Amino acid sequence: MKVKCPTCDKDVVWSAESPFRPFCSERCKLIDLGDWAAENHRIPDKAPIDAALSEEYLAELEQELITQDNDFFKH
């Protein structure tokens, strides 16, 4: 069976002899990994954002950080 390399579209034979499958090479594999690290690829979040809840949660977090013995907020 042949598949296309997700990075360069080169044909890749899907077998044990293709150690980087589905990529054609280590280079293409590392390019893809770099894209994930740079957040160029993302798994979409389908959950709706509740703005009021988010603001309430952030306010609670902020208050919690301020009340802790935290030097960041003392300057």
Side-chain angles (χ1 to χ4, degrees):
M1 179 166 97
K2 287 186 180 181
V3 297
K4 295 281 187 188
C5 174
T7 304
C8 71
D9 285 335
K10 189 185 291 185
D11 284 337
V12 178
V13 176
W14 192 274
S15 71
E17 288 80 40
S18 302
F20 303 109
R21 64 185 180 271
F23 303 99
C24 66
S25 65
E26 184 174 23
R27 178 181 178 273
C28 281
K29 180 177 129 180
L30 291 175
I31 289 170
D32 186 72
L33 179 62
D35 282 343
W36 280 101
E39 297 186 0
N40 295 330
H41 299 306
R42 294 188 190 106
I43 298 171
D45 181 10
K46 307 257 183 194
I49 296 173
D50 183 345
L53 182 58
S54 295
E55 287 300 317
E56 181 181 322
Y57 178 69
L58 288 174
E60 287 175 14
L61 273 177
E62 182 179 26
Q63 190 59 40
E64 200 174 298
L65 286 171
I66 290 171
T67 57
Q68 289 177 356
D69 189 21
N70 191 330
D71 290 335
F72 181 77
F73 291 102
K74 293 181 181 177
H75 295 117

